[in-house]
Amino acid sequence: MAYYGELNRLPSLLVVEDEFLIAHDLRRILTNAGYDVLGLVASVQEAKERMAQRIPDIVLLDILLIGPETGIDLAEWLKEQAIPFVFLSANLSNELLEAAKRTQPFGFLTKPFREKDVLTTLELARYRHAHSEEAKLRQQQAIQIAVNNAIVTIQDRDQLCLAIAQQINQLVPFSFLNLRIGLPDESSFYWLMLEKTSENTFVRINPTALLPSQTDGQMLDKLDREAPDRLGEQSGIFVGEDFQQLCEHYITARSCRDHFQVQSLMLFPIELKRNSRTTIIVSSTSLEGFTPKEYQAVSLITPQIALALDNLLAYEELEARRQLKAIELTIVNAFRNGSDVRSVLAQVAGSINERMPVDLVALYRVGPAPETVSVTSMAQKEAGVFVTVTEQELGQRHGLQPADWQQSLSDMPYWLMKPTLCVGSQFTDGPSGNAVSDLYQKLGLPSVMYVPIFIKDQAMASLVLASRAPYAFTYKDLSTLQDISVQMGMALENLLAFERIKTLSEQLELEKTYLTEEIKTSHNFEEIIGSSSALQAVFTNISQVARTDATVLILGETGTGKELVARAIHNRSTRQGRTVVKVNCAALPAQLIESELFGHERGSFTGATEKRIGKFELANGGTLFLDEIGELPLELQAKLLRAIQEREIERLGGKGPIKIDTRIIAATNRNLQQEVAQGRFRSDLYYRLAVFPIVVPPLRERPEDIRPLSMHFLRRLSKKLGKPLTSIANTSLQQLLTYDWPGNIRELEHVLERAAILSPTATLELAEPLRTSPLSGVPVFSSPSAEQVQPIEKTMRTAILAALAKSGNRIRGNGGAAELLNLKPTTLEARMKKLNISGYTKPTNS
């Protein structure tokens, strides 16, 4: 229908005839018929000048024109410009007729003309031209559909570029094709160059081969995110002088000329939906170059190329999002199902490899993490599968000395704290100063990128990807890796939290049980009371040793407050945030002490129905207080020594040693040196315990502390008993000050508590006079002379006999020998039997 309208509209004409009469006769005929005659010209030059002002619909052209160019020459030009023409001729030779036919005219008019012949020939020319344009349009549409079908569904960049080259090759012969895609929003740039072979196939050329060797290395490093020049902003055909001027301004055009003998090229800028600078460059080594018709032919299919590129970029974006979600899902599932970071990393590496091909994935610890979890791990691709490797194995494979490897690892944490991309010549030509890239360069992995992994706004680890390809990663890949690191951070946080909960759950449960039991036990007092010089010396020792992890041995008579000294040391140490676990070595049967200290596995002995964590594990990170260490059975002393020296224990029935970090504080009222001499205490354990001995002075050596201690107990008793106790009678206070206190502070507390119960007034008075102890004046932990040293059995025998004499040979009851010696009656009886002491009064049955 469109062409029907055009046929009804008479066209405009230009007459090119050098015979004046014939030209004017033609104008008369055409004007009378209603045609628009643009003018009469007599030469080729005049015709081109007239058509530069307005293009006619049809040209009437004399084959034989006077001048340097004939009608045949003008016909060739009209054919290139797609302007229809009709030849005017007289008698033609066969040779001239064949030349005229090759120009594909729309008709011939033979001189002299008849009006009917002129009008009929023009109508036929109009019809043929209209239908030839329609056929041409159908051909163009067919080409566009074919190109669209060939490339629009391709979802791989290299394959798409190859398909584009094949389609253009069907329209225009060329030597090289370049496709550039710049995405400024993603800081990425893609450049592919294809060369046509003699077999009419295409091979890929690395674009870096275009750039001369003397080019600044930074240009090579920028190829992943921007073009080397602004050649893509040009358009049109560049041949001859135009091409040479183009080479003067653009390095890639000049390199094509110098390295690949390119003589001409066509530039086609392509507009995409995304913010993209996309260009197709078609070049040829032919001197003749390209024609406007060829440029127009390629331009016809650029809309289909743009559509295919839009589809490709949209697919890549969706695929990148899908792969990122797949990686995140893999991370979640791996860390949920796996309990070991090394096995988890291999699964994560395989998933990342689908998004961006890598040869090694590593996870380095750069911040604090629980010691129970090893964060540093590496996974390397072997035969297409990722397997975990150790740092030592990787270093040995590449001939790195252990010292060099360790030095590189020690320098890496500083660099791993910042997202970094390491690709390009500056990382392959020599040391870069970056410890990470330098190390991986030694491992044959020139492309490296890494990002820190944050947990609660603190860098805890760094995720590293490495590849054997020199330009394997882009800044878009680095951005993707940062997205992955967020999921890795959450997964690691959950894993570390789970591991920490798993490690501490039993310990916390036991601490709760232990502390519940401790709350039920009332301590002598809440703080050390006193300001005597003897006690000040103890304070000095506490402040000196508290901040260290040295083993402390507290010596002193019974009731002097050795446990309070141990707690004071712990509360002033770096372990004060953890609990003090107490074990009374004299209160447990010998057969249970080992299980109490070291724990046991289920079924390790009869009655072991469940696993039990020992006091050493319970006190891990804190302090273990071993009270009455002198009572520890000899067979357990060797195990205790090993636990202290090696900082590891083994449960009863356990399968291997367990590392511990427990500080040991021991206490005893025995003379361990004498115990060692008698063979009842291991000398090596004694010297290991007595790294820093502290002697707690007895109360009789610091009488100035009796008054403040008494008032402290008085306030406690007043609150405990609900009685208003405000002071102590002078006579009673004098007795307290002159008494030798063989039971020390514990005895003082008990004496005051009994008096408080019996006191009828606010002024406390002692219930009965204090009796002088036969043991007064004999300090257990003074430094006796060599002449005073005697066997322990003789000393014990003397003390028991003195107590029996004072008690009237009574063992039990108030004032009995057991009370005087602060021993249980059964214990005293057993020791008397062992020492062959008799003559005491046995209890009577009532």
Side-chain angles (χ1 to χ4, degrees):
M1 296 298 295
Y3 293 110
Y4 176 80
E6 292 179 3
L7 289 173
N8 289 305
R9 179 184 61 82
L10 294 179
S12 60
L13 299 174
L14 176 67
V15 179
V16 184
E17 172 62 61
D18 54 4
E19 294 185 27
F20 180 79
L21 294 177
I22 295 177
H24 280 271
D25 187 39
L26 282 172
R27 182 164 62 178
R28 178 186 58 79
I29 296 173
L30 296 173
T31 302
N32 293 336
Y35 285 94
D36 179 17
V37 180
L38 301 181
L40 305 176
V41 295
S43 66
V44 173
Q45 183 63 31
E46 290 181 34
K48 290 182 179 180
E49 291 175 355
R50 181 63 61 89
M51 283 186 285
Q53 300 173 5
R54 180 180 175 184
I55 301 295
D57 294 326
I58 299 178
V59 176
L60 296 178
L61 172 61
D62 187 7
I63 294 179
L64 299 174
L65 292 175
I66 299 174
E69 294 180 295
T70 66
I72 299 295
D73 297 323
L74 182 58
E76 293 288 352
W77 183 84
L78 292 173
K79 177 183 176 182
E80 291 181 0
Q81 304 299 321
I83 300 175
F85 60 91
V86 174
F87 272 130
L88 304 176
S89 62
N91 295 324
L92 297 177
S93 63
N94 291 335
E95 181 179 355
L96 186 60
L97 182 60
E98 290 299 324
K101 290 180 179 180
R102 285 195 293 270
T103 62
Q104 299 178 0
F106 283 81
F108 284 88
L109 282 174
T110 305
K111 302 175 183 179
F113 311 118
R114 292 185 304 173
E115 181 176 353
K116 182 178 180 181
D117 294 337
V118 172
L119 298 178
T120 301
T121 300
L122 287 177
E123 287 296 320
L124 291 174
R126 290 176 58 207
Y127 180 82
R128 288 184 58 197
H129 176 64
H131 283 271
S132 67
E133 288 297 318
E134 183 179 6
K136 185 184 297 184
L137 180 60
R138 286 198 300 267
Q139 182 183 10
Q140 292 174 356
Q141 291 175 343
I143 293 173
Q144 291 174 333
I145 292 173
V147 171
N148 186 77
N149 293 337
I151 66 177
V152 76
T153 59
I154 297 177
Q155 297 174 341
D156 179 81
R157 289 190 180 187
D158 292 350
Q159 293 180 6
L160 177 60
C161 292
L162 179 61
I164 291 173
Q166 292 171 344
Q167 295 301 315
I168 294 178
N169 188 52
Q170 296 180 17
L171 302 175
V172 177
F174 64 90
S175 303
F176 299 94
L177 181 136
N178 287 268
L179 177 63
R180 297 179 174 191
I181 304 176
L183 300 172
D185 293 343
E186 299 178 0
S187 298
S188 65
F189 175 73
Y190 175 78
W191 183 10
L192 181 137
M193 181 175 182
L194 297 174
E195 179 181 13
K196 186 167 69 175
T197 65
S198 58
E199 291 81 14
N200 210 32
T201 59
F202 296 92
V203 295
R204 183 170 183 173
I205 297 176
N206 191 339
T208 56
L210 282 174
L211 304 178
S213 57
Q214 66 271 19
T215 303
D216 186 0
Q218 291 184 355
M219 180 179 293
L220 295 174
D221 301 323
K222 293 192 297 184
L223 284 180
D224 63 341
R225 58 187 186 275
E226 61 182 68
D229 56 30
R230 303 173 69 90
L231 181 62
E233 298 179 1
Q234 303 296 317
S235 63
I237 303 174
F238 296 87
V239 185
E241 184 62 30
D242 293 337
F243 176 72
Q244 298 302 326
Q245 292 182 2
L246 195 71
C247 294
E248 294 296 326
H249 295 91
Y250 301 100
I251 183 174
T252 51
R254 183 166 62 252
S255 297
C256 285
R257 180 195 64 188
D258 298 342
H259 295 279
F260 297 99
Q261 289 75 50
V262 169
Q263 300 295 327
S264 60
L265 55 80
M266 295 188 294
L267 293 170
F268 300 91
I270 299 178
E271 295 185 4
L272 302 182
K273 294 179 180 178
R274 303 179 63 179
N275 182 19
S276 168
R277 293 193 297 268
T278 306
T279 308
I280 290 180
I281 305 174
V282 180
S283 55
S284 174
T285 57
S286 173
L287 292 173
E288 297 178 0
F290 300 100
T291 66
K293 186 176 181 180
E294 291 173 331
Y295 188 89
Q296 184 179 10
V298 177
S299 299
L300 289 174
I301 64 173
T302 54
Q304 279 64 43
I305 295 175
L307 177 61
L309 290 174
D310 279 327
N311 291 342
L312 173 67
L313 295 178
Y315 170 79
E316 288 180 344
E317 183 176 0
L318 292 175
E319 182 66 12
R321 293 179 182 176
R322 185 197 66 79
Q323 291 177 346
L324 181 59
K325 293 300 180 183
I327 294 172
E328 293 176 350
L329 183 60
T330 299
I331 293 172
V332 171
N333 291 333
F335 277 90
R336 182 181 62 187
N337 300 327
S339 58
D340 179 61
V341 175
R342 295 185 63 187
S343 61
V344 167
L345 188 65
Q347 299 178 48
V348 174
S351 181
I352 293 176
N353 187 64
E354 297 179 4
R355 171 67 178 84
M356 51 187 105
V358 295
D359 294 296
L360 185 138
V361 177
L363 194 65
Y364 290 97
R365 175 179 171 179
V366 296
E371 295 294 340
T372 55
V373 179
S374 176
V375 174
T376 300
S377 182
M378 309 177 78
Q380 188 175 31
K381 187 191 294 182
E382 296 181 2
V385 179
F386 283 91
V387 296
T388 56
V389 294
T390 64
E391 298 169 344
Q392 292 75 12
E393 291 173 347
L394 196 61
Q396 291 173 359
R397 292 178 186 178
H398 295 83
L400 295 182
Q401 296 297 325
D404 296 338
W405 180 265
Q406 292 300 324
Q407 179 62 38
S408 298
L409 292 179
S410 63
D411 295 338
M412 283 173 57
Y414 168 79
W415 298 95
L416 292 171
M417 299 296 288
K418 179 181 180 182
T420 304
L421 174 68
C422 300
V423 294
S425 58
Q426 70 263 43
F427 300 105
T428 57
D429 294 343
S432 64
N434 184 316
V436 182
S437 62
D438 290 344
L439 174 62
Y440 280 86
Q441 176 63 31
K442 296 175 184 177
L443 300 178
L445 300 166
S447 291
V448 182
M449 65 175 176
Y450 48 87
V451 295
I453 297 175
F454 289 89
I455 296 180
K456 296 179 180 178
D457 297 328
Q458 183 176 12
M460 192 277 295
S462 183
L463 183 61
V464 182
L465 304 187
S467 173
R468 294 187 178 92
Y471 292 89
F473 308 123
T474 67
Y475 279 94
K476 183 179 180 181
D477 295 329
L478 183 64
S479 177
T480 301
L481 189 61
Q482 287 179 290
D483 294 335
I484 295 173
S485 70
V486 175
Q487 190 67 42
M488 282 287 290
M490 292 188 291
L492 275 178
E493 183 178 8
N494 292 337
L495 177 65
L496 296 177
F498 175 77
E499 289 294 332
R500 182 167 181 82
I501 291 172
K502 181 180 177 181
T503 303
L504 298 179
S505 58
E506 291 183 344
Q507 181 176 352
L508 293 175
E509 185 64 29
L510 288 175
E511 283 185 6
K512 176 183 176 182
T513 304
Y514 173 77
L515 292 175
T516 302
E517 295 174 354
E518 283 290 294
I519 291 172
K520 297 178 182 178
T521 304
S522 59
H523 301 292
N524 287 335
F525 37 76
E526 298 176 355
E527 56 185 1
I528 302 175
I529 304 298
S531 59
S532 62
S533 58
L535 197 57
Q536 290 297 324
V538 174
F539 292 158
T540 301
N541 289 335
I542 291 173
S543 62
Q544 289 173 337
V545 76
R547 304 296 293 182
T548 71
D549 280 338
T551 303
V552 179
L553 178 61
I554 304 174
L555 304 170
E557 298 178 11
T558 181
T560 53
K562 297 185 289 296
E563 182 178 347
L564 290 180
V565 174
R567 292 183 181 277
I569 294 173
H570 171 80
N571 291 336
R572 288 162 178 77
S573 71
T574 57
R575 301 170 182 263
Q576 59 183 339
R578 301 302 301 276
T579 185
V580 179
V581 178
K582 176 186 174 183
V583 177
N584 192 326
C585 300
L588 293 172
Q591 60 270 25
L592 294 182
I593 293 181
E594 182 175 5
S595 174
E596 186 73 13
L597 287 176
F598 305 114
H600 63 257
E601 297 289 343
R602 180 179 179 182
S604 58
F605 57 85
T606 303
T609 58
E610 60 182 12
K611 182 178 73 172
R612 178 184 177 88
I613 294 178
K615 291 297 193 290
F616 264 101
E617 286 185 79
L618 184 61
N620 189 31
T623 303
L624 179 62
F625 177 50
L626 300 175
D627 199 9
E628 303 293 348
I629 189 66
E631 305 291 340
L632 189 68
L634 194 61
E635 59 270 18
L636 286 181
Q637 294 178 16
K639 288 192 174 183
L640 177 60
L641 177 64
R642 180 177 181 273
I644 296 175
Q645 289 182 336
E646 305 298 332
R647 288 186 173 271
E648 63 181 24
I649 62 169
E650 188 170 346
R651 297 179 190 149
L652 289 176
K655 298 180 180 179
I658 300 173
K659 288 290 184 181
I660 56 170
D661 177 24
T662 304
R663 182 180 189 174
I664 303 297
I665 299 179
T668 183
N669 58 6
R670 289 192 177 193
N671 190 327
L672 289 187
Q673 290 181 335
Q674 191 172 2
E675 294 293 307
V676 170
Q678 296 296 325
R680 290 190 293 269
F681 201 86
R682 294 177 61 100
S683 60
D684 49 1
L685 178 58
Y686 168 73
Y687 291 121
R688 192 65 185 83
L689 290 173
V691 172
F692 195 90
I694 297 178
V695 178
V696 183
L699 190 55
R700 62 179 170 273
E701 292 184 4
R702 49 188 185 108
E704 58 267 42
D705 293 335
I706 294 177
R707 184 189 296 271
L709 279 169
S710 299
M711 296 307 298
H712 171 74
F713 287 131
L714 191 63
R715 288 190 293 270
R716 282 187 56 187
L717 291 170
S718 177
K719 184 177 180 180
K720 177 181 178 182
L721 300 175
K723 298 175 66 174
L725 300 172
T726 58
S727 63
I728 302 175
N730 290 334
T731 55
S732 296
L733 182 59
Q734 191 61 33
Q735 290 186 63
L736 296 177
L737 295 174
T738 58
Y739 184 58
D740 59 1
W741 298 109
N744 292 293
I745 300 171
R746 184 181 295 114
E747 183 182 4
L748 173 62
E749 182 184 12
H750 293 166
V751 167
L752 292 175
E753 184 173 3
R754 181 183 180 190
I757 294 172
L758 299 175
S759 177
T761 64
T763 300
L764 185 142
E765 293 185 2
L766 296 180
E768 59 184 16
L770 296 175
R771 299 175 182 177
T772 304
S773 170
L775 298 179
S776 64
V778 187
V780 178
F781 293 96
S782 60
S783 299
S785 62
E787 291 78 12
Q788 293 176 317
V789 176
Q790 55 185 350
I792 187 63
E793 288 85 358
K794 186 175 181 180
T795 302
M796 188 181 302
R797 184 181 182 86
T798 302
I800 293 174
L801 290 174
L804 289 172
K806 184 175 181 62
S807 64
N809 288 334
R810 287 188 306 106
I811 293 178
R812 301 174 182 269
N814 293 333
E819 183 182 80
L820 295 176
L821 294 175
N822 198 22
L823 294 174
K824 293 181 179 179
T826 54
T827 302
L828 179 57
E829 289 172 353
R831 293 187 181 181
M832 289 175 62
K833 183 178 180 180
K834 182 178 180 181
L835 297 172
N836 295 320
I837 299 175
S838 60
Y840 58 92
T841 301
K842 294 184 178 180
T844 59
N845 296 327
S846 56

